[in-house]
């Protein structure tokens, strides 16, 4: 039984709401990661049984990490889900996300976003491609969200980045 308010749940909800309002469909992987974290918090905080959450050590095996990274690189133009990546290496989404973070130092959704921005930087050197085309080739559904995220990672808009090159 829940008594009072849980500040972590409240803040996770606010953050998820903010992300979905501003990013829309581009936030699917982020939302899935937040849902996994929320489920883990609820299990740890509000279940009465023994701790069923495994402890993790060592990260993903080199083979599973390589498989995952190659898959991400090949599918940057598609919406990627945590469940999809976890299924690729036959793990639960929570277990996969935890081991991925241990291996790479960042969450899967952060890694995917960084890969998308890196690919966008490469594509911005090709003047025959419009920024809208690049936006879609790196998996963003809207140019405004692409511009916002690109600026967060590079401190420049895609247009300014292209002009400076």
């Amino acid at each position: 039984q829940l008594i009072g308010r849980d500040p972590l749940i409240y803040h996770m909800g606010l953050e998820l709401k903010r992300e979905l309002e501003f990013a829309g469909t581009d936030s699917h992987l982020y939302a899935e990661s937040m849902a996994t974290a929320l489920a883990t918090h609820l299990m740890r905080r509000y279940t009465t049984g023994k701790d069923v959450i495994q402890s993790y050590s060592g990260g993903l095996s080199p083979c599973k990490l390589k498989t995952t990274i190659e898959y991400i690189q090949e599918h940057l133009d598609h919406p990627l889900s945590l469940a999809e990546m976890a299924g690729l290496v036959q793990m639960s989404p929570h277990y996969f996300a935890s081991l991925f973070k241990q291996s790479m130092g960042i969450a899967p959704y952060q890694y995917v976003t960084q890969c998308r921005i890196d690919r966008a930087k490469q594509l911005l050197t090709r003047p025959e491609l419009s920024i809208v085309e690049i936006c879609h080739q790196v998996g963003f559904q809207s140019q405004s969200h692409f511009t916002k995220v690109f600026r967060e990672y590079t401190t420049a808009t895609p247009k300014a980045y292209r002009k400076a090159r």
Side-chain angles (χ1 to χ4, degrees):
Q1 178 178 352
L2 296 176
I3 298 174
R5 297 181 84 173
D6 185 321
L8 182 59
I9 293 172
Y10 178 75
H11 289 290
M12 287 175 81
L14 286 178
E15 179 60 25
L16 185 56
K17 180 180 181 282
R18 184 194 65 77
E19 182 67 22
L20 291 173
E21 285 175 350
F22 291 106
T25 57
D26 292 331
S27 295
H28 178 73
L29 184 57
Y30 179 77
E32 195 173 3
S33 297
M34 289 291 286
T36 300
L38 178 60
T40 302
H41 172 71
L42 290 170
M43 287 179 62
R44 285 187 176 151
R45 179 101 162 93
Y46 299 105
T47 58
T48 57
K50 284 187 164 188
D51 189 12
V52 294
I53 307 294
Q54 293 178 302
S55 59
Y56 311 110
S57 61
L60 289 170
S61 70
C63 178
K64 288 183 178 189
L65 184 61
K66 181 178 186 274
T67 298
T68 302
I69 289 172
E70 286 175 353
Y71 184 83
I72 290 169
Q73 291 295 332
E74 292 169 9
H75 295 89
L76 285 177
D77 59 333
H78 293 71
L80 292 169
S81 73
L82 194 56
E84 178 183 355
M85 291 184 279
L88 183 68
V89 293
Q90 300 173 337
M91 293 180 172
S92 72
H94 173 71
Y95 190 57
F96 169 78
S98 297
L99 294 182
F100 186 93
K101 186 169 183 175
Q102 284 183 8
S103 296
M104 299 300 291
I106 57 175
Y109 80 89
Q110 291 171 312
Y111 180 78
V112 169
T113 301
Q114 182 62 59
C115 289
R116 287 182 167 149
I117 297 304
D118 290 345
R119 174 82 50 86
K121 287 179 185 178
Q122 293 170 353
L123 294 173
L124 285 165
T125 64
R126 297 176 50 195
E128 71 274 11
L129 295 174
S130 72
I131 291 176
V132 172
E133 288 174 306
I134 294 169
C135 163
H136 295 297
Q137 284 188 31
V138 297
F140 287 92
Q141 301 300 311
S142 74
Q143 186 176 347
S144 63
H145 186 237
F146 170 59
T147 300
K148 176 185 175 278
V149 173
F150 191 90
R151 187 180 309 165
E152 287 173 6
Y153 278 75
T154 66
T155 70
T157 64
K159 185 177 180 181
Y161 184 89
R162 172 177 266 174
K163 197 173 187 177
R165 299 292 170 253

